[in-house]
Amino acid sequence: MESSKVFSEIERLKTDMTNVSMELIRIPAIAPENGGDGESKRAEKLVQILNDVGFDKIERHDATDERVPSKKRPNIIAHFLGERTHEKLWIVTHMDIVPPGEESLWTVTKPFEPIVKDGRIFGRGSEDDLQSMVASIFAVKALKNLKITPKRTVSLCFVADEEQGSTYGIKHLIKKHLFKPEDLVVVPDGGRGDGSFIENAEKSILWLKMRTVGKQTHASRPGDGLNASRVAMQYALALDKILHKKYPAKDNSFDPPVSTFEPTKREKNVDAVNIVPGDDINHFDLRILPQYDAEEALGIIRSVAKEFENKTGARIEVEILQETIAPKPTDPKARVVVMLKDAIRKSLNVRAKVGGIGGGTCAAYFRQGGIPAVVWSTVDEVAHQPNEYSRIENLVSDAKVFANLAIQP
Ligand SMILES: [Zn+2]
């Protein structure tokens, strides 16, 4: 009864949600690494919106960053007190966006001039992560309009720096011990179009750069040099074989269900066909199921490099470009998972499946800290693409599920 009233109130707020999304898209929040001035301007607008909704308490936990004009990266927490104030439902969304990329590919509208077309809001950041951010605010607004006190305190958390590694965002907040293992933590930053996927785990990620150094010479007299390209290819193929053999496990809760070991980027070596390369650089992208020790895999990669060095006389340098060790997955029976499943069923009439993905979100840092967290939202996954959009329908769906989580007994 109560939830159907909440759902119709959220439907009624559809136009307001759309307008707020568009207002926020017009204020870019790009990291200094990508030539932007950070999230401060967007945060100012956001605080204004939160004040209008009338949250009980708004906190700031800004991180100092000398690289941006405001010298700080904003992090905002807005609390809406529930019947049980000690119990918290956190909804964590990020304010920062990735740059628009090649502007000519934005054919529907310019990245920061949002428009509504075919029930979708177009603009950079519309889906990632403004859709869920706005939905979380309006879930609270709907409850306030109906004078409903949630069962638990709803704490909305708006963070900086998610796209560049979260040092000035969620990592900064987790260090302050604001979150507790018994809290419910939802990170709406990924999912499926029908809301049927709850992410509780991810793979470890390793990005490696391998440089092989031999000796350059003329291709007619290869014996005078040492072909770095050949050694690099042999080493890459050997690794490919060894890693797949050593880590064959299948876990069907992941998509794809296996660890992946892909040789990817190769850098240009010599300018002419008749030169034996003395220097060769290639890369690997490895995504390893959490049941395996990624550090051990790295050890194998280094020892195989040593073997090839001894065998060929070439030098092989292995450099780590990115290393994210997967934390222990959130238990599929954890309270947050069970409650979220229930909220999705009641709000959208969808039975959600729990599983893992290959990439990282803020949820990984919670899990590292022993706090169960899940990733969920209803998205078409057009994040980081030109003509990024969010469906207004999805804004409504996300808001319904968040409100339902707040009022569930
Ligand atoms: Zn995101």
Side-chain angles (χ1 to χ4, degrees):
M1 190 55 213
E2 197 177 50
S3 56
S4 67
K5 266 200 298 188
V6 174
F7 293 162
S8 19
E9 180 62 12
I10 288 171
E11 295 276 356
R12 201 183 64 79
L13 293 169
K14 201 183 322 201
T15 314
D16 291 356
M17 280 198 258
T18 306
N19 292 337
V20 167
S21 297
M22 290 169 65
E23 259 180 281
L24 289 167
I25 291 170
R26 287 188 199 103
I27 312 168
I30 296 175
E33 287 90 338
N34 294 320
D37 57 2
E39 303 84 356
S40 287
K41 290 192 186 116
R42 180 172 282 186
E44 259 169 57
K45 182 81 216 171
L46 195 58
V47 169
Q48 213 182 315
I49 294 165
L50 297 171
N51 278 325
D52 289 346
V53 172
F55 280 81
D56 294 305
K57 193 174 153 205
I58 297 175
E59 294 169 30
R60 294 290 295 255
H61 295 275
D62 298 352
T64 307
D65 187 350
E66 295 297 329
R67 299 171 302 171
V68 291
S70 67
K71 308 283 182 221
K72 62 188 181 209
R73 308 295 292 277
N75 293 290
I76 303 162
I77 297 176
H79 302 283
F80 176 36
L81 298 182
E83 286 171 17
R84 301 190 289 269
T85 46
H86 61 279
E87 192 184 321
K88 285 206 175 83
L89 164 65
W90 293 96
I91 302 173
V92 182
T93 53
H94 63 89
M95 290 182 277
D96 59 311
I97 52 170
V98 293
E102 180 61 48
E103 294 241 2
S104 68
L105 297 173
W106 285 80
T107 49
V108 180
T109 186
K110 294 217 172 87
F112 302 114
E113 293 171 19
I115 58 159
V116 173
K117 204 180 157 197
D118 305 325
R120 305 171 202 189
I121 307 162
F122 285 86
R124 173 55 86 225
S126 53
E127 178 187 284
D128 183 18
D129 200 14
L130 286 173
Q131 176 190 307
S132 302
M133 179 185 294
V134 173
S136 69
I137 298 168
F138 277 81
V140 169
K141 188 171 171 61
L143 296 179
K144 281 202 81 102
N145 287 356
L146 297 170
K147 300 195 166 36
I148 295 173
T149 304
K151 290 283 179 287
R152 53 199 58 80
T153 292
V154 182
S155 299
L156 305 187
C157 185
F158 308 97
V159 296
D161 197 31
E162 193 274 338
E163 302 288 1
Q164 298 292 326
S166 290
T167 306
Y168 302 90
I170 200 65
K171 282 187 180 170
H172 175 73
L173 295 184
I174 286 174
K175 268 196 221 144
K176 294 185 156 197
H177 305 290
L178 300 168
F179 311 99
K180 295 192 299 283
E182 60 272 25
D183 291 346
L184 304 166
V185 180
V186 180
V187 178
D189 195 11
R192 301 261 161 82
D194 58 357
S196 66
F197 187 72
I198 298 172
E199 184 251 283
N200 74 324
E202 53 203 270
K203 295 174 184 171
S204 293
I205 302 177
L206 273 177
W207 286 357
L208 302 176
K209 177 178 177 180
M210 282 99 159
R211 179 167 180 221
T212 307
V213 184
K215 187 171 174 249
Q216 183 174 315
T217 188
H218 196 280
S220 64
R221 300 181 55 81
D224 294 347
L226 174 57
N227 194 326
S229 182
R230 177 182 288 116
V231 177
M233 287 191 284
Q234 285 171 338
Y235 172 54
L237 284 174
L239 268 190
D240 189 26
K241 214 170 171 176
I242 291 165
L243 293 171
H244 279 100
K245 200 168 160 206
K246 173 90 185 165
Y247 303 110
K250 248 189 160 178
D251 179 345
N252 283 320
S253 65
F254 278 85
D255 181 20
V258 291
S259 302
T260 56
F261 308 100
E262 290 300 300
T264 53
K265 182 169 139 185
R266 293 201 73 183
E267 281 177 25
K268 176 178 169 293
N269 45 32
V270 287
D271 287 311
V273 182
N274 60 353
I275 303 172
V276 166
D279 208 318
D280 192 276
I281 295 174
N282 63 359
H283 299 78
F284 262 80
D285 175 310
L286 317 178
R287 306 202 178 214
I288 306 169
L289 286 172
Q291 68 195 88
Y292 290 130
D293 178 358
E295 285 292 338
E296 182 203 64
L298 197 55
I300 293 173
I301 290 163
R302 292 194 196 281
S303 76
V304 178
K306 267 269 157 301
E307 249 173 65
F308 272 82
E309 283 184 334
N310 294 340
K311 211 156 65 184
T312 63
R315 200 172 80 238
I316 302 176
E317 297 158 8
V318 178
E319 187 190 334
I320 301 169
L321 300 182
Q322 202 211 141
E323 180 179 20
T324 311
I325 302 298
K328 223 171 132 252
T330 293
D331 185 346
K333 292 194 200 74
R335 190 152 167 262
V336 65
V337 182
V338 175
M339 283 181 63
L340 181 57
K341 265 188 175 170
D342 197 48
I344 295 167
R345 194 174 45 78
K346 288 189 180 129
S347 317
L348 312 178
N349 198 22
V350 165
R351 274 181 199 284
K353 174 184 152 215
V354 182
I357 54 163
T361 64
C362 281
Y365 305 111
F366 283 100
R367 290 178 194 138
Q368 267 161 16
I371 298 163
V374 288
V375 178
W376 175 87
S377 55
T378 46
V379 285
D380 288 1
E381 296 204 85
V382 286
H384 301 203
Q385 294 176 24
N387 302 318
E388 178 182 351
Y389 64 83
S390 75
R391 282 182 197 278
I392 296 170
E393 210 183 293
N394 290 347
L395 253 174
V396 172
S397 298
D398 283 4
K400 285 181 181 173
V401 171
F402 300 151
N404 197 283
L405 272 175
I407 60 174
Q408 257 186 60

